[in-house]
Amino acid sequence: MVFWECMQQVMWRMAEQLGTNDSSGTQEFLDKLLRITFNPEANEIPRHRTEYRMLTESERQHFHAAINALKADNSLKPSVYAAFAQLHAGQHIPLAHFGPNFPGWHRIFILLFETALRLKNPTVSIPYWASHLDSSLPDPTKSIIWSEEFLGNGDGFVTTGPFKNFVTANGTILRRNTGVTGHLFTQAVVDKITSSNSTSDITEPNGPFETNIELQHNQVHHWINGNMDNLNTAAEDPVFYLLHSYVDHIWEEFRKNLKKIGIDPDLDYPLDYGPEEQAPDAPIGFGGLHNNDGLNSVFSELVTYAPFPTCTSWNPDCGSPFLKCDLTESVPKCVSITVDEYEMLLRKTEHDPCAMPTARIMSVQNNFAINTLCDIRQWAFIPVKIVSKRPPEFGNYKSFPVLNNQPYRQVDVFSPEVYFQKSQRSQTGIAHCPKTNEPSNRIMIESHGLNYYGSYKDYVLLDQRHAITTAVTYIGIRAPNGSSSDVIFSAYDRCGRICKPFCLDIKSNVSKPKPCQGVIRVSNLLPMLYGRTYAEAVKLTWKKEDDSDLPELDDSVFLTFYCNHESIWPWERTVRRQLGESQTGNVGNILTQIARRNPPQSRGVQVFPPRATLPVSTRRLIIKCRVNPSCTIVGACRPCTPGTRQRCEGPRNMFAVCINGVYSSQETVPRI
């Protein structure tokens, strides 16, 4: 999703401000791992990566135990595992994402992580999770992957499996919300990527969505959700490494294809690389390596991959009890078994054709984190109304009009065409949005802080049989107790199409929603159009005198989204107005700048004017490091050379001095 990528660019900057310097111990440990990785003695047992479900039970247990050993190893604080997770956060994100360095950076990163695992058990290699084996299941959330034997549960806090009760950096338990949004890799997408003819075709900034390995991988992050849905916290979940082992396998198959057509993959770094951090000669962040070193075959030759599991009609064995051969299509394929099928195998019972399938109630577990503290008492809730038109991919509902005693099957009685002039733009849909006859439609709603580090998401279910349906939900924001909260809201359907925001014009004599940006400022001034608790927000929205009265929807719901399923970016005109029709810009920067404007505060909830002019700088972003509240220096927060010093911004007598590889502030320059 475009919006997801934009918000990741906003959030890594916030995480950088909250973060601290990487410790010199972490850097020394990485340098050690890099040396060990290329030491032949350390690779006497080959690194051979296979599909997660193809491991023997012993191999799987050894892999799980090695990860838990890194989690328990506190030679780096708070643990070696956590130190690795922090290398995929804050100032490291623009090195690893948003450009052609994506596959190379992650290749080196998981090699180093694998080396750390092999210090615990030299037989361990990182298996890959081939999610295309799950994507064709009726419900991929029921795959055996999300079971006690593999990764543990995927619904909410992870309390089962080998990584149960994993404590993350903010002190809460690891979270997942599988299947709520996003999608997994498919075999068709894998085939398109591996058969592409240049690195530029499969990476940012020019790779189209269907072959863009980073954008496709982003969708899997989005599908797993929870910690994986934020690039700053994604590496806290062990599934991160299995996903990237898979992505690396796909990339290596692509590189083999380049060699077949006479292209040297080691030299195929795109000339159009996007941000400066993605330049081929820019430092990659590991040792003295540069971005184009990530393409060097010296790294790929350290690892071999087992082929993706396959089967045929004459040999329907996928090689694992956790995979089965699907013979229902013209080309047989291996797919994952489900948790229910595995339980039947354990009980040695046959499938009961009369048994009702167990339905999973989709839930979204939020962590209620503001900056680094997770506590629901920091949050407030704002009512959000959703108005949705029937999506174009929904087929005819079998309730047809009857004309002259004959059914008319071209349209059903609920069809939007009966009520609206047909719009070609809204009927086109998008490439990965398949036809559906499901009666319900899920709309995701999110809030992201723009002057605080925190986000919240939930969804509503709508009856998509009808031409127009509506629902109300309540979305969390930082409670504006001491200062106002600047928030951007977004809503999108199951295919990633953004819904249009409308904000209540409270200055007008007639309260009517008008198009807005979905960026609002919430203060504690009256009248408050939000609730300090969820219950208070519900009471604010629905009016009734007592329990016997009929609840009536209040007309003061401030924010409404209209989901007409057009593949249109709702901020397009705003962004173009700032940048000029012929220019491009960082939407993440623009969204941040929207939040920094200071409209007069006279209401509890305010909308930022959609026609206001936003100042957009054409200069490169200046990276700064916040040493402590009284000292900020130019440059990223990274290990420093002992004895070096920099003047802090602000007071003239304040300096940042490097002691033991970490900057600390001094009022005068000490002798070192």
Side-chain angles (χ1 to χ4, degrees), residues 305-575:
Y305 281 98
F308 297 128
T310 58
C311 63
T312 62
S313 55
W314 59 87
N315 183 19
D317 183 6
C318 291
S320 167
F322 303 109
L323 298 171
K324 63 182 180 181
C325 188
D326 182 2
L327 299 170
T328 61
E329 298 183 10
S330 58
V331 179
K333 61 182 179 181
C334 291
V335 298
S336 180
I337 68 168
T338 66
V339 174
D340 292 341
E341 289 171 328
Y342 180 64
E343 290 176 352
M344 284 192 291
L345 286 175
L346 292 179
R347 295 194 302 266
K348 296 182 179 180
T349 57
E350 295 184 358
H351 174 65
D352 182 1
C354 298
M356 295 294 291
T358 56
R360 176 191 165 194
I361 300 176
M362 290 281 188
S363 58
V364 180
Q365 177 63 63
N366 289 283
N367 64 359
F368 297 100
I370 299 293
N371 299 333
T372 58
L373 177 64
C374 302
D375 193 324
I376 196 173
R377 292 171 295 184
Q378 300 181 101
W379 289 77
F381 292 85
I382 183 169
V384 177
K385 186 177 180 180
I386 303 295
V387 178
S388 179
K389 183 180 175 181
R390 188 162 84 174
E393 65 274 4
F394 182 73
N396 272 344
Y397 180 58
K398 292 186 177 181
S399 178
F400 303 112
V402 177
L403 301 174
N404 295 324
N405 297 328
Q406 295 297 320
Y408 182 75
R409 293 186 174 88
Q410 276 64 42
V411 294
D412 60 70
V413 294
F414 300 150
S415 173
E417 296 177 19
V418 177
Y419 307 95
F420 302 102
Q421 182 178 357
K422 187 174 181 179
S423 168
Q424 183 64 35
R425 188 171 61 181
S426 66
Q427 295 296 317
T428 55
I430 50 180
H432 62 277
C433 198
K435 295 287 185 180
T436 178
N437 287 312
E438 289 293 325
S440 62
N441 184 25
R442 185 165 61 237
I443 303 293
M444 296 296 304
I445 308 99
E446 299 183 6
S447 71
H448 293 272
L450 293 174
N451 65 347
Y452 64 91
Y453 185 63
S455 60
Y456 187 94
K457 67 175 56 182
D458 203 350
Y459 68 88
V460 295
L461 286 175
L462 296 162
D463 186 345
Q464 66 179 2
R465 299 172 303 162
H466 294 284
I468 288 285
T469 50
T470 184
V472 175
T473 188
Y474 309 91
I475 301 300
I477 58 170
R478 184 186 69 176
N481 295 325
S483 60
S484 61
S485 294
D486 296 343
V487 195
I488 181 168
F489 290 84
S490 65
Y492 51 91
D493 65 14
R494 69 186 186 97
C495 299
R497 292 169 298 208
I498 296 287
C499 305
K500 296 179 179 179
F502 289 77
C503 297
L504 195 65
D505 186 0
I506 54 181
K507 295 181 180 179
S508 172
N509 293 329
V510 180
S511 296
K512 183 179 179 180
K514 292 186 176 181
C516 64
Q517 298 161 334
V519 182
I520 66 175
R521 170 164 292 165
V522 184
S523 72
N524 57 9
L525 301 177
L526 296 176
M528 294 192 300
L529 302 181
Y530 63 92
R532 286 165 292 190
T533 64
Y534 177 87
E536 192 174 286
V538 174
K539 292 179 180 178
L540 176 74
T541 310
W542 296 94
K543 302 298 183 183
K544 65 187 185 74
E545 296 296 329
D546 54 52
D547 289 341
S548 61
D549 286 344
L550 174 68
E552 294 183 10
L553 182 64
D554 192 271
D555 60 2
S556 62
V557 174
F558 186 80
L559 184 60
T560 299
F561 282 96
Y562 177 39
C563 306
N564 61 353
H565 313 290
E566 293 182 355
S567 302
I568 300 296
W569 181 243
W571 297 281
E572 182 176 10
R573 293 179 182 175
T574 300
V575 172

Side-chain angles (χ1 to χ4, degrees), residues 15 19 87 124 147 190 211 240 296 356 375 395 408 445:
L87 290 171
V124 166
S147 68
V190 173
T211 61
F240 172 92
N296 199 305
M356 295 294 291
D375 193 324
Y408 182 75
I445 308 99

Side-chain angles (χ1 to χ4, degrees), residues 116-136:
L117 292 175
R118 289 164 76 89
L119 291 178
K120 303 301 181 183
N121 185 333
T123 69
V124 166
S125 296
I126 300 175
Y128 64 87
W129 167 44
S131 66
H132 71 266
L133 302 178
D134 304 84
S135 60
S136 60

